[in-house]
Amino acid sequence: MKSPSHTYKKILLFTMLFIFYAIQLADAQYKLNFGLTQTQPSATFPLGLGKPDKAVAKNKMTVPVRVAVGKDGRYLLNDGWELADGNTVNANLQSLFSQTYNSSNWYNAVVPGTVLTSLVAQGIYPDPYMGLNNLAIPDSLCRIDWWYRLAFTSPVAGNHTITWLNLDGINYKADIWLNGKLVGNMEGAFVRGKYNVTGILKNDGKNILAIHIYPPANPGIPHEQSKLAGAGPNGGQLALDGPTFISSEGWDWVPGIRDRNIGIWQNVFLAYTGDISIGDAQVISNLPLPDTSYAELTIKTPVTNHSHFAKKITLEGTIGDIHFTMPQDLQPGETKNIQLTPQEIAVLKIKHPKLWWPNGYGAPNLHVLQLKVLDQDGKIADIKTISFGIRELSYDLLVNTVEKKPERINYQPTDVLTGKAIFDNINRVKTKSGIFIPSLVEGTKLSKLNILPDSTNPFLVIKVNGQKVFCKGGNWGMDDAMKRVERERLEPAFRLHREANFNMIRNWTGECTEDIFYQLADEYGMLVWNDFWMSTEGYNLNPLNDPLMMDNIRETVKRFRNHPSIAIWCPRNEGYAPVSIENEIAEILVKEDGTRHYSGNSREINLRQSGGWHYTENIADYFTKNAEGFTTEIGTYSVPVASTIRKFIKQEDLWPIGDAWYYHDLHSDVTGLNLKGYLNAVDSMYGKASGLDDFSKKAQLINYESHRAIFEAWNSKQWKNASGILLWMTHPAWPSMIWQTYSWDYETHGSFYGAKKGSEPLHIQMNADDKAIVVINNSIQAYKNITAVAKWYDIAGKEIYAKSKKINLAINDLATVFSADLPGIAPPPVYLVRLTLVNKASISIAENAYWRTNAETKNFKAFNGLPATTISYKHIQSIDGSYYFRIKNESASIALSIKLNLLDAKGDIVLPAFFSHGYFDLLPNEEKLINLTAELKNLEGYRIGFTGYNIIPSNTLIN
């Protein structure tokens, strides 16, 4: 028998070892999660031959204060602002609110905008997007406080009751001062400020508005990408501050933004009301699915009596030709939550409504509700205009029932409104397939849910108006690295998503949480997967201030819940919410919204794990190793065209590839993303690149092939567990070499057209794994008596084999047609497989093409021996900014990888411009109809430019 002392020694030794390993683990976690704790070694900083641009400060201008009238009688205060750092302000002994204050050493400010936006516009720092210029901007911008100041005259005379000062968004904290009085504080980038400034605002004479901006407490130290340093840690200490732009510390797709996007980044405006005001109204549409012949609308709105007297008011609403009223009594100081239902107001039951549909499934119809509150004298006290869509979201997913049994269910959130969450993500259950599923909350009745027969499929399916939507699209890490988010900048990106046949955008960690993002998503039929402001669980740090996080979440939900595009709320990127706030988030989403699904994790619960993000040399791997379920992240390298690269890499650093490229996200193999494989593919498949133009020309073939394959892999398993695929990424926040389907200047390179082809609603493809020819219908239109045609051509363009088959396709259907074999024929060294779908009138309705080699050849270097070809052009017609023309290969050889651009009179590429086709081939003497859409006042001087793999570059006047 062992002595007690011996046992004690063992326990003590075990305890010491446990403490030692715990310390080691904690230390490793500290180093992992906090990003850099000191500046990286100087030897690993990116180096370039091109010197950073020298900043040339602009003279400060006297900018006239223009008070613009906005929606609902708002008066926008966005012009005439000035900006100064806190030290400059403190050094001036004058009061900020003095009418004679000397602000000559302040900067002109851009509002809405960030501190850095203003300083770059003022010429204090160079354009951070060019070359290595960002390194010339001090990181101290995010470590000091800043003041914004505006001197303005009230736009309205003094006959109103209450004056409200509104700020739609600041970052990170702010004190708001008006005429020397502190009127309020804000904290977090996603809350609004609304302040009663009646009696503080001068109705005659000059007002001084001053906003004191404080930086985040934990800005972190940016990692600077280089060949030696690699991509570095994703983020770091900034994640501690929660509701802010956490990627601005630096991620593997954007460098550290030197001010961390602090400033007044959204609108500032005045609003005037009577004694009664309308709060955040909500419009809920409910369809009796599967019936869509009518919709029931419920309108909820808080109304507040700000006076000391009881009030009899009338709430009045208008939706198109529909008009309704409801009288109410309000006690002094009372806020009443008014609910208008079809049972009380019959006109809210709408027959044959125009529904909102995602792209590819129907028109994204929008409606407008105008709410007015009338006081007892019949005067308008307040007015709100709300854009909304009539649509019903429903979801299929596997859950763990109260009886501890997995069941696949379909549910409509609007039909199970209980005021409480029905899913428990904390007590989730792991299935046999390794996917986690949520548990139903005790007391949830299965009778409120529709039980589906398949209890083996764990993956999420999103439905709109009762129809399954095969979700295709990608992530937006941030709209713009400097938060320049005006409609003119963002709309082309949404248009490109629509042109690429996408129907979903993921708002990754909520970095694009602003009005215009959701409004454009509504208009362009883009479903939104909406995260909040936390990243990878177990890697990135959790926010320190839970109440602050919840305040920003609550505000975001109330502010944007009427947008039909939002389909999913999600707490964070790649992880669950901290246990301390998980249930509170779920309860807020039910209480403040209640019309959407809350997915507790972006990659694990009812979803496939995210990734990979590397170059995949064998595209069949996407079919055999990746395609499954619903994935919110998968991607690969995506180098843009040479003309775009020249816009952000200095001439000295264009070639060979160096640190200027790595700084713009061409991740070295330190990151494990297989850059070596990507670069080797260019040389081994098409011949060693001789320079930038040759490299980019060849890289586009790889970009096209890889991005098409990703979507086609999921297509091949449509509804056979595959239900959604989102690229990491589709949208670049700054000039990048990776993870994008179009480049920062809106140019569409090979990745765009490969993704566009693979995402077609009606699509014919050859699977890369089993070589089956399949047809996919991602729409709610059925196709009857269509014919699938496959033709094989040798490299000279001679047809060597053909076969066809008639098929019928139901909505949301997939059909395997035949195999892509060549019976009795030895494949040529290099050959082309052309696939076409034709309708009963023999008109092509879908097409696709694949270049392939036989087993011995394994490369396409034969392309380099093809004769040069010439493309001719014939303008057909122009209709409302859309131009149709026919092009023809005038040569006896195949014209490879044709790229079209719109050129101005100087020969420069005009962007954005939207072409129906790109990176396609024409057989000898073959013609093709092309559509171009662009914002042109007239056609004078504009040309169509033609380039390609073996095409003589040319351009032709549009006539």
Side-chain angles (χ1 to χ4, degrees), residues 535-537 570-577 600-603:
S535 192
T536 313
E537 183 182 11
C570 188
R572 74 188 305 164
N573 169 59
E574 297 181 330
Y576 299 93
N601 191 318
S602 76
R603 69 172 177 183

Side-chain angles (χ1 to χ4, degrees), residues 394-433:
S394 55
Y395 307 85
D396 296 351
L397 65 155
L398 193 67
V399 300
N400 183 47
T401 66
V402 175
E403 295 77 22
K404 312 303 180 186
K405 176 186 176 184
E407 290 276 12
R408 189 160 179 83
I409 65 164
N410 166 265
Y411 88 107
Q412 297 168 225
T414 55
D415 288 353
V416 293
L417 285 173
T418 62
K420 293 186 177 181
I422 65 171
F423 299 115
D424 179 358
N425 292 308
I426 295 176
N427 296 299
R428 55 194 176 270
V429 174
K430 192 173 185 178
T431 66
K432 293 180 181 179
S433 62

Side-chain angles (χ1 to χ4, degrees), residues 661-711:
W661 288 58
Y662 296 119
Y663 195 68
H664 286 265
D665 312 324
L666 189 77
H667 299 312
S668 67
D669 280 320
V670 174
T671 61
L673 294 178
N674 196 20
L675 175 62
K676 182 178 179 180
Y678 182 75
L679 299 179
N680 283 347
V682 172
D683 294 343
S684 63
M685 296 295 288
Y686 302 102
K688 188 170 180 61
S690 60
L692 170 64
D693 293 280
D694 190 43
F695 170 77
S696 176
K697 176 184 75 173
K698 293 170 177 175
Q700 299 320 313
L701 300 181
I702 294 170
N703 291 342
Y704 184 101
E705 187 89 353
S706 60
H707 283 77
R708 178 178 61 177
I710 290 172
F711 286 99

Side-chain angles (χ1 to χ4, degrees), residues 68 85 129 156 187 352 463 472 553 644 675 859:
D85 63 86
Y129 291 7
V156 174
E187 186 170 4
H352 307 294
K463 295 181 177 180
K472 297 180 179 181
I553 289 175
T644 291
L675 175 62
N859 66 68

